[in-house]
Amino acid sequence: MTWDPGLASVVDLAGELIRHPSRGGIDDHGPVLAVLERWLDVRGLPYRRLPDGSRRPVALLVEIEGGRPGPWWALDACVDTAPYGDEAAWSFPPDAGDVVDGRLRGRGAADSKLAAALFCHLAAEVRGLADALLGGLAVLLDADEHTGRFGGARAYLADPDAARPAGVMIGYPGLDEVVVGGRGLWRGGIAVHGTPGHSGSRRAAVGAVSRAARLVRLLDAATLPGVSGDFPLPPKLTVTYCHGGEGFSLVPDLCEVGVDLRTTPDFAARDAESLVRAAVAELDTLLPGPRPTAVTEVAAWPPYRLREDQQPGAALLGAARAEGLRVRAKTAGPSNIGNLLAAEGIPATAGFGLPYEGLHGVDERVHLADLPVVYAVYRRAVLGLLRA
């Protein structure tokens, strides 16, 4: 496919979004939402702000209603980003938003401001065809994704005025794969107690950090099942933090441990929690403390994987192949918004887009040569769903 000059507007909008920093939990995301609002206003596209529980806007929702009854479908892209990290390691400014050697440069180019710009343009095209279409198209522009709260997606699902989507396509990057599933997760915080005292005291005291170290060894040694059934990935356990103690002369009385378990259909959240609680019980037997070790669930999402014929994955895979791409369906190791949607019974894809470099790292950028075919794939998939 040759380059469509109209797609230069996609790059222009994405570049402007990159030049408005919106790092999750760091920057005010009002300015980046304002860029989108101005673009939508100029084109007369219907949109509204979605607030979180404190009435702070966390997303924009564009809604294009078709002329005939039918299911609604949604496109989702985040417009907040990961932090910059070590800015001295970048070879260009993280908020560059420019094009050099055919690559759009800057934080958010890959994840996912280019996708947001593409989806806005696709919404404008769909609006011109709306009278002949079934159901409707929603475009969610989420400014609260990289915080881990997924505030925009949650606000969308909770909005009583929004049509519930039959499926969602999330604009994460990557040209060779359509992500149709992901491992779930169970995350827990563990409070390990010890007997306080002076480190120089003659009285023996087992500190919380020492007990926590034993617990970490028990968790690392835990046996997890392998791949089973149709799900292609095994469970995984990672101890993600261990915090405790202060100075040198105190025996610590509390140490907090975090554990992240990636789950599968055959090793669900309840199995993950049972494994952790079994390790905790073993710790309290082998090395008793002054109080029982406490486990608190922090988050739990189910794993998911779409069937080969299930929408919207089938539409996106079919559209990619119809445009001459060789793509495969992929189940991702990390969780994503697709897991949140799966918990609500909404099928989702979570990745198809441009080739990229430096995602969440230094020198983030996307290769623009494939923008025409990526736009064509999403256009074909969306219109196919709205005409079905």
Side-chain angles (χ1 to χ4, degrees):
M1 175 176 289
T2 58
W3 177 261
D4 178 352
L7 293 179
S9 176
V10 175
V11 179
D12 290 343
L13 177 57
E16 187 174 1
L17 294 173
I18 292 167
R19 290 189 291 274
H20 287 75
S22 53
R23 293 164 291 177
I26 299 174
D27 298 312
D28 176 9
H29 57 240
V32 79
L33 290 180
V35 170
L36 292 163
E37 289 175 324
R38 288 193 295 271
W39 192 94
L40 296 167
D41 283 334
V42 166
R43 288 151 186 85
L45 286 170
Y47 72 90
R48 53 197 171 90
R49 294 184 173 191
L50 297 181
D52 62 11
S54 63
R55 309 308 299 169
R56 181 182 66 121
V58 290
L60 300 180
L61 181 64
V62 183
E63 295 170 302
I64 309 297
E65 185 172 5
R68 293 181 288 163
W72 279 68
W73 303 91
L75 299 170
D76 173 22
C78 58
V79 294
D80 66 338
T81 72
Y84 294 155
D86 181 5
E87 295 186 45
W90 287 64
S91 64
F92 52 83
D95 60 353
D98 58 1
V99 177
V100 175
D101 296 330
R103 294 168 174 83
L104 176 65
R105 309 189 307 171
R107 178 63 84 225
D111 184 12
S112 294
K113 291 181 175 181
L114 190 284
L118 187 153
F119 290 167
C120 285
H121 283 75
L122 186 52
E125 183 175 356
V126 167
R127 191 187 186 204
L129 306 169
D131 288 347
L133 301 178
L134 306 174
L137 175 68
V139 176
L140 179 67
L141 304 165
D142 189 344
D144 195 28
E145 193 257 24
H146 281 85
T147 60
R149 293 189 291 263
F150 296 160
R154 293 182 188 278
Y156 175 38
L157 295 174
D159 190 329
D161 296 322
R164 191 170 182 84
V168 178
M169 289 178 278
I170 303 165
Y172 296 134
L175 191 66
D176 300 325
E177 300 162 336
V178 173
V179 176
V180 297
R183 284 189 293 202
L185 61 80
W186 183 90
R187 289 175 175 163
I190 307 172
V192 182
H193 302 281
T195 302
H198 195 289
S199 59
S201 173
R202 294 182 180 182
R203 182 172 62 89
V206 179
V209 171
S210 296
R211 297 189 70 237
R214 176 70 69 89
L215 176 62
V216 170
R217 291 196 294 273
L218 291 172
L219 291 168
D220 284 342
T223 301
L224 295 170
V227 174
S228 62
D230 296 330
F231 200 82
L233 297 173
K236 182 183 180 183
L237 183 153
T238 306
V239 176
T240 57
Y241 65 80
C242 186
H243 305 312
E246 183 177 357
F248 291 95
S249 58
L250 297 177
V251 177
D253 60 356
L254 176 65
C255 187
E256 296 177 327
V257 176
V259 60
D260 177 289
L261 270 154
R262 300 297 162 143
T263 60
T264 68
D266 292 331
F267 187 81
R270 63 180 179 277
D271 303 306
E273 183 174 0
S274 295
L275 182 150
V276 171
R277 291 192 180 279
V280 163
E282 185 174 358
L283 171 71
D284 286 349
T285 299
L286 294 173
L287 200 62
R291 295 167 55 189
T293 302
V295 178
T296 302
E297 179 182 295
V298 174
W301 283 350
Y304 79 102
R305 180 175 172 83
L306 305 189
R307 302 185 313 272
E308 185 173 342
D309 62 346
Q310 190 173 359
Q311 300 292 15
L316 194 54
L317 283 163
R321 291 162 182 161
E323 294 294 334
L325 297 177
R326 299 182 65 179
V327 295
R328 67 182 183 93
K330 176 185 177 181
T331 299
S335 301
N336 52 64
I337 294 179
N339 296 85
L340 173 66
L341 295 166
E344 296 283 334
I346 299 172
T349 61
F352 172 76
L354 292 177
Y356 62 90
E357 302 168 48
L359 180 73
H360 287 203
V362 300
D363 289 355
E364 182 176 342
R365 49 196 163 183
V366 291
H367 300 239
L368 294 174
D370 294 298
L371 179 57
V373 72
V374 170
Y375 186 92
V377 167
Y378 274 108
R379 182 183 188 276
R380 183 185 289 266
V382 166
L383 291 179
L385 291 167
L386 294 174
R387 288 169 173 161

